[in-house]
């Protein structure tokens, strides 16, 4: 039977090998660093991290060699950066425990969870979903994915390592992966209680303190020890 229109092709992420990684789904962890939870007005001792999802179409390649431009989105005056470690699934997982998580991980990357903060906080205060604040086109830029074994050879450790973000060369976020409230293995195990994780699923693991607003023309550079960096430039709103 003919289709009404050509189906969208999956987003393909660049990797450090000759293969591409097709994105299936995007899961995100909210308030997974104590200092960030507190800067957002929350008590991490009383409110544990939680999860939300984003479209696969929000993911864009942000290798420094690719000159990635992210358009300032509409209907916001407070567009924020959030640097994060991203976990890429390589196997199937359903109701696994933390000890099994490493077996189903394909690799890791540096990512940004760009956020329309004004819309997110408005929705939060009204008890509504965060979609308009978080699920935004081009809001999930990522550096090159590295297969887990290669990442460890390069000195990457998902349990400890510096994570940083600068805007126009000025440091904004600077923390360590050891500060994650829920480490990678626990995150994967917990999400697998609710979803059947599969290859192509990405998990953004949360951002440290220091988030802030950007404007068109700003250049963002993110890095995690042992992983390829990312860079994006905030472009003017589409159509302007």
């Amino acid at each position: 039977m003919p289709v009404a229109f050509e189906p969208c092709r999956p987003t393909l992420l660049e990797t450090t090998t000759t293969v591409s990684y097709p994105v299936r789904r995007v899961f995100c962890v909210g308030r997974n660093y104590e200092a960030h939870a507190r800067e957002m007005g929350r008590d991490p001792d009383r409110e544990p991290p939680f999860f939300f999802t984003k479209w696969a179409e929000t993911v864009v390649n942000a290798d420094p060699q690719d000159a990635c431009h992210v358009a300032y989105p509409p209907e916001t005056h407070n567009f924020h950066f959030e640097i994060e470690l991203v976990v890429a699934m390589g196997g199937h997982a359903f109701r696994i425990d933390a000890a099994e998580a490493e077996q189903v991980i394909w690799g890791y990357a540096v990512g940004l969870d760009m956020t329309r903060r004004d819309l997110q906080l408005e929705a939060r205060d009204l008890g509504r979903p965060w979609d308009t604040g978080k699920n935004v086109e081009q809001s999930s830029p990522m550096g090159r994915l590295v297969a887990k074994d290669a990442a460890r050879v390069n000195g990457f450790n998902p349990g400890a390592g510096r994570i940083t973000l600068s805007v126009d060369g000025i440091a904004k976020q600077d923390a360590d992966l050891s500060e994650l409230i829920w480490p990678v293995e626990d995150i994967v195990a917990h999400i697998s209680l609710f979803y059947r994780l599969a290859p192509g699923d990405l998990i953004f693991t949360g951002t440290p303190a220091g988030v802030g607003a950007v404007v068109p023309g700003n250049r963002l550079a993110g890095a995690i020890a042992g992983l390829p960096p990312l860079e994006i430039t905030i472009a003017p709103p589409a159509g302007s």
Side-chain angles (χ1 to χ4, degrees), residues 99-120:
E100 301 173 275
E102 174 69 13
Q103 302 172 27
V104 293
I105 293 173
W106 188 90
Y108 300 92
V110 181
L112 278 167
D113 173 22
M114 301 299 295
T115 303
R116 289 190 282 211
R117 188 72 73 201
D118 44 1
L119 300 188
Q120 179 204 15

Side-chain angles (χ1 to χ4, degrees), residues 13-45:
L13 275 173
E14 296 174 354
T15 73
T16 55
T17 66
T18 57
V19 302
S20 296
Y21 183 93
V23 180
R24 180 171 178 255
R25 296 179 297 185
V26 179
F27 297 89
C28 301
V29 186
R31 298 197 287 266
N32 199 23
Y33 286 80
E34 179 179 349
H36 174 60
R38 295 191 186 283
E39 78 176 346
M40 296 303 293
R42 292 297 189 253
D43 183 353
D45 296 327

Side-chain angles (χ1 to χ4, degrees), residues 46-58:
R46 299 182 61 184
E47 301 177 56
F50 58 93
F51 301 87
F52 57 94
T53 58
K54 301 174 73 171
W55 298 322
E57 291 87 348
T58 66

Side-chain angles (χ1 to χ4, degrees), residues 24-25 27 89 91-96 188 190-201:
R24 180 171 178 255
R25 296 179 297 185
F27 297 89
M89 297 296 295
H92 296 268
F94 182 60
R95 304 189 72 79
I96 65 171
V188 173
H190 188 81
I191 296 178
S192 79
L193 296 176
F194 301 93
Y195 300 94
R196 296 179 185 273
L197 293 170
D201 289 339

Side-chain angles (χ1 to χ4, degrees), residues 53 108 127 154 198 215 240:
T53 58
Y108 300 92
N154 292 334
V215 296
S240 64

Side-chain angles (χ1 to χ4, degrees), residues 125-145:
D125 292 344
L126 293 172
R128 296 174 179 173
W130 290 6
D131 295 76
T132 55
K134 287 287 190 178
N135 208 356
V136 182
E137 286 89 345
Q138 295 189 303
S139 65
S140 307
M142 287 179 54
R144 287 183 180 267
L145 271 173

Side-chain angles (χ1 to χ4, degrees), residues 176-220:
D176 196 279
L177 297 177
S178 62
E179 299 171 36
L180 284 165
I181 296 172
W182 286 4
V184 167
E185 294 81 4
D186 289 350
I187 292 170
V188 173
H190 188 81
I191 296 178
S192 79
L193 296 176
F194 301 93
Y195 300 94
R196 296 179 185 273
L197 293 170
D201 289 339
L202 300 175
I203 303 173
F204 283 63
T205 59
T207 194
V211 300
V214 293
V215 296
N218 283 157
R219 187 169 184 175
L220 283 63

Side-chain angles (χ1 to χ4, degrees), residues 60-73:
V60 292
N61 288 291
D63 187 289
Q65 300 180 10
D66 295 337
C68 177
H69 289 75
V70 170
Y72 197 95

